[in-house]
């Protein structure tokens, strides 16, 4: 009868733990579903990562408690076991401080949504690229030239994220100081008004004269574009301005010989 009672109590412990784990998983899933994430203005990738982390943590804690309760049913004194586990955990903590720092930093990177997989970031002013993987211990970044940087999360500081907000493309156009300023400005304004690109979210604007030297006048254009597309948009806008000066026959951007060849 004593053995039967112990077996029944262990079965009850296992069943209750299973029910608790199912309830916690469903609560986490309901809180982290796409509708809730949109309502709370959370990004889907962040929600999925945090949800998995919470469920795994809950599973580990429940299993540890179940193990202690089962051992208690066999009349095993848990006090020395817990004390020994505490001493071992303390020793591991002192010996793996950098690992603990990496894990804690990685958790807060995910929780606070500093960056996500697919974002273009720059770390410490040295490493810039697309985030390929975010783990609790390390983050992997691939640069646009193909290099892969694996950075321990504890060493990640001063992060610049280029994929969150819209960017501003800035183009400076150099014209000869001897040219008629109003005419040059009209050419640039016309190129800005006609400029179109799939990455822009507004119209190109002519800001005016940026600087003046004895030989050149610098005119500045700006255009608001999608995150991390300012380089592509700037190159496209430069090409359109060059074509506008060619069409106007400006000698700095289009030679007389080229005009004669085009005419012939």
């Amino acid at each position: 009868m004593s053995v039967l009672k112990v077996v029944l109590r262990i079965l009850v412990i296992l069943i209750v733990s299973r029910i608790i784990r199912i309830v916690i998983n469903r609560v986490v899933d309901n809180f982290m579903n796409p509708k809730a994430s949109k309502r709370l203005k959370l990004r889907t990738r962040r929600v999925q990562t945090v949800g998995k982390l919470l469920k795994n943590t809950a599973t580990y804690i429940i299993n540890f408690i179940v193990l202690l309760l089962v051992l208690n049913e066999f009349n095993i004194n848990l006090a020395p076991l817990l004390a020994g586990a505490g001493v071992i955990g303390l020793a591991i903590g002192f010996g793996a401080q950098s690992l603990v720092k990496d894990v804690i930093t990685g958790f807060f990177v995910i929780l606070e949504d500093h960056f996500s997989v697919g974002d273009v970031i720059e770390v410490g002013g040295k490493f810039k690229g697309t985030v390929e993987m975010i783990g609790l211990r390390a983050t992997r970044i691939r640069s646009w030239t193909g290099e892969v940087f694996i950075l321990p999360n504890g060493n990640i500081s001063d992060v610049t994220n280029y994929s969150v907000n819209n960017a501003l493309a800035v183009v400076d156009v150099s014209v000869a100081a001897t040219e008629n300023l109003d005419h040059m400005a009209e050419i640039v304004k016309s190129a800005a008004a006609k400029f179109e690109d799939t990455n822009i979210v507004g119209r190109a604007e002519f800001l005016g004269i940026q600087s003046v030297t004895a030989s050149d006048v610098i005119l500045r254009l700006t255009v608001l574009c999608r995150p991390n597309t300012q380089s592509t948009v700037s190159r496209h806008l430069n090409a359109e301005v060059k074509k506008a000066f060619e069409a106007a026959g400006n000698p700095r951007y289009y030679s007389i010989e080229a005009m004669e060849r085009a005419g012939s």
Side-chain angles (χ1 to χ4, degrees), residues 79-209:
L81 183 63
L82 293 175
V87 172
I88 294 174
L90 186 62
I92 294 175
F94 278 115
Q97 294 184 40
S98 60
L99 178 61
V100 174
K101 180 182 178 182
D102 293 340
V103 172
I104 293 175
T105 305
F107 175 79
F108 281 105
V109 165
I110 296 171
L111 184 63
E112 297 178 357
D113 197 21
H114 295 171
F115 50 84
S116 299
V117 174
D119 289 351
V120 176
I121 66 171
E122 183 175 2
V123 179
K126 298 180 180 179
F127 308 102
K128 182 178 179 180
T130 304
V131 179
E132 289 192 334
M133 183 272 294
I134 303 174
L136 284 179
R137 195 194 68 81
T139 296
R140 187 170 67 238
I141 302 173
R142 180 181 294 274
S143 70
W144 71 280
T145 53
E147 295 87 356
V148 176
F149 307 111
I150 300 176
L151 306 176
N153 290 330
N155 296 337
I156 294 178
S157 61
D158 301 328
V159 177
T160 304
N161 194 330
Y162 295 94
S163 300
V164 176
N165 297 320
N166 291 329
L168 189 67
V170 180
V171 171
D172 288 334
V173 181
S174 175
V175 298
T178 56
E179 295 282 354
N180 181 275
L181 180 60
D182 292 336
H183 180 56
M184 295 297 101
E186 286 300 323
I187 295 174
V188 175
K189 289 179 182 178
S190 175
K194 298 177 182 178
F195 179 68
E196 294 183 357
D197 192 286
T198 57
N199 291 316
I200 64 175
V201 294
R203 304 299 301 176
E205 296 183 7
F206 173 69
L207 298 186
I209 298 175

Side-chain angles (χ1 to χ4, degrees), residues 17-30:
S17 66
R18 176 65 177 173
I19 294 173
I20 294 174
R21 189 159 58 245
I22 292 174
V23 171
I24 292 176
N25 289 343
R26 287 187 177 179
V27 170
V28 172
D29 289 336
N30 290 334

